[in-house]
Amino acid sequence: MTSHFDLIAARGIGKSFPGVRALDTVDFTLRRGEIHALLGENGAGKSTLIKIISGVYPPSAGTVEIRGAAMQTFTPHAARGLGVGTVYQGLSLVPTLTVLHNLFLGQESVTNPRLGWLNLPDMRHRAHDVLAQVGLDVDPETEVSALSVSQQQLVEIGKVLLLGAEALIMDEPTDKLTAREARRLFELLRAMRSAGKGVIYITHKLDDVAEIADRVTVLRDGRHVATVAALEASTAQLIQFMVGRELRDLFPKRPVALGAERLRVEGLNVPGVLWDIRLHARAGEIVGLVGLVGSGRTELAKALVGAVPHVTGDLFVDGQRRRIASPEQAVRCGLALLPEDRHREGVFLHMPVRENIVMPSLRRAFLRFREMSETARAYVDRLRIRTPSLDSLVIQLSGGNQQKVVLSKWLASRANVLIFDEPTQGIDVGSKVEIYRQIGELAAAGAAILLVSSELREVLALSDRVLVMRRGRIAAEFAQSEATQEVVLRAAFGDPAA
């Protein structure tokens, strides 16, 4: 029976797709004045559940009630009409339109409904109000393409708030936000909670759960595992709920004897971006690279593989000076970059898993279809990639499995120097541990690893040395024994005491 405190009550939800049972008899409730975290590994059923609640899919079994009214029609429009607003992980803005027109897309204010004249003064006034509410200081007439990814995320949140939603669903909302923007978002969510609204908060960041959630529900393999009060759930317990086993060591670090120098960079410059970068990495060594947003971390990663123009300086791979002007040349020299934006730069989403994995190998030699399949199958098994078949399109896989496909293709290329840029961003705990293990195995096999990450804990746990970037330069270097969160953050902020 639905409580009068419930904004949303989903009971006995089942959902099947051809050959896949995505949800099996799942119960979930969202109370008024509550932030309810929804956790689970990629493929656990979280996205399917919220798509049912937000009207994208009809359930195969079960019922959904929103504010006491049973959903009869499962469409996004019907869900919005019942007060459900959803901010998905993938942005749905139109980059060529202004912030104003994106905010009101499909919900424009008009002065004459028959003629469709827009009430622009009213739209601008409301746009200023909602942008202030989400903490975004931009002109509403700014084209969305001119905004950063984190700013675009805040515009997405503003769109939903304009709907006057009573129940807000947020999928990985802090994934692309700075720490300051995340704090502002948390303030906004707390204000919504105080106003009696409810938030379903999907995240892989367990620190966010401790910070903001009232209750936590965990799904695993399409089934409901547990619903607990956030204050009563430890990180270890939540991880055990998600993966079905204890993870005593979240950051497996194998001791490796370091070998000869694999990579050396001397005086690398990119005008206006990077200045006099000097670094090296030996066989078996994991070198962490950290810095605040805008410090130049990602630009350096791309410069090393020829993905940005006007790079000067000297680069040596295995002792040989190399001129790398394109990613294709980088692959031939044994350098590989796993980029931060895996969707746009890491994989071909609308191509099969098989072709994605063998793509770098195809650049070097002709492979027969049988060899391609054998190679792809070996890495699917090695990294435990969950895919119906090698012919499945990458876009059909969960985020963690997509990231494993990106890693597989560079493992298959046998690169000797691998640059990982945010390798665990937006993926579940189990997939993170698998990727950490693979990084350790690569180092043990003699590769040199450059690990670029905003997850300071993973950098400190996995790295043999840590480099800190600030304002396009390497500002500090620490051995593993010296690197602590405090000294690294001081160096990143430019504290003289660092």
Side-chain angles (χ1 to χ4, degrees), residues 206-427:
L206 298 186
D207 289 345
D208 283 9
V209 175
E211 174 83 14
I212 197 71
D214 299 300
R215 283 194 299 160
V216 186
T217 287
V218 180
L219 302 182
R220 184 172 74 239
D221 297 329
R223 293 182 174 87
H224 176 271
V225 174
T227 296
V228 295
L231 290 176
E232 298 173 1
S234 67
T235 297
Q237 184 181 33
L238 292 176
I239 291 170
Q240 187 173 357
F241 284 151
M242 283 189 283
V243 301
R245 64 185 188 278
E246 288 189 32
L247 291 179
R248 299 180 184 273
D249 187 1
L250 286 178
F251 304 104
K253 170 67 174 169
R254 299 174 59 180
V256 175
L258 305 186
E261 189 174 85
R262 285 284 198 193
L263 173 70
R264 175 168 289 276
V265 178
E266 297 284 355
L268 184 146
N269 293 275
V270 176
V273 180
L274 299 172
W275 290 270
D276 195 29
I277 300 295
R278 298 173 186 272
L279 62 86
H280 69 280
R282 297 166 61 184
E285 187 175 27
I286 301 174
V287 179
L289 186 64
V290 301
L292 305 178
V293 173
S295 63
R297 299 171 311 176
T298 292
E299 291 79 5
L300 174 56
K302 291 184 175 181
L304 292 176
V305 297
V308 296
H310 312 303
V311 179
T312 59
D314 296 320
L315 185 148
F316 299 85
V317 180
D318 290 332
Q320 295 187 19
R321 189 176 186 276
R322 297 288 191 176
R323 170 74 175 164
I324 297 177
S326 70
E328 184 176 7
Q329 288 182 349
V331 172
R332 289 200 293 265
C333 294
L335 268 73
L337 169 64
L338 282 80
E340 178 182 14
D341 189 340
R342 63 175 173 263
H343 288 159
R344 290 194 293 182
E345 300 173 343
V347 288
F348 295 96
L349 289 171
H350 296 281
M351 289 180 64
V353 170
R354 177 193 302 104
E355 280 72 6
N356 269 279
I357 291 176
V358 302
M359 190 67 68
S361 304
L362 288 175
R363 294 178 182 273
R364 302 193 308 179
F366 175 76
L367 293 178
R368 291 177 297 178
F369 183 81
R370 180 178 176 182
E371 293 173 314
M372 290 169 57
S373 296
E374 289 174 351
T375 298
R377 174 52 61 190
Y379 286 102
V380 165
D381 292 342
R382 175 175 168 179
L383 272 75
R384 302 184 185 96
I385 300 173
R386 293 184 181 179
T387 177
S389 75
L390 297 179
D391 294 311
S392 298
L393 303 184
V394 172
I395 197 171
Q396 297 171 330
L397 308 185
S398 66
N401 286 300
Q402 289 178 9
Q403 186 73 324
K404 289 181 183 180
V405 171
V406 179
L407 177 55
S408 293
K409 76 175 188 179
W410 294 120
L411 293 178
S413 77
R414 293 181 169 83
N416 293 323
V417 179
L418 292 107
I419 305 164
F420 291 82
D421 191 0
E422 302 288 3
T424 62
Q425 185 179 77
I427 64 174

Side-chain angles (χ1 to χ4, degrees), residues 59-75:
S60 304
T63 61
V64 178
E65 293 185 10
I66 299 176
R67 293 192 290 174
M71 287 187 71
Q72 305 291 343
T73 303
F74 285 84
T75 66

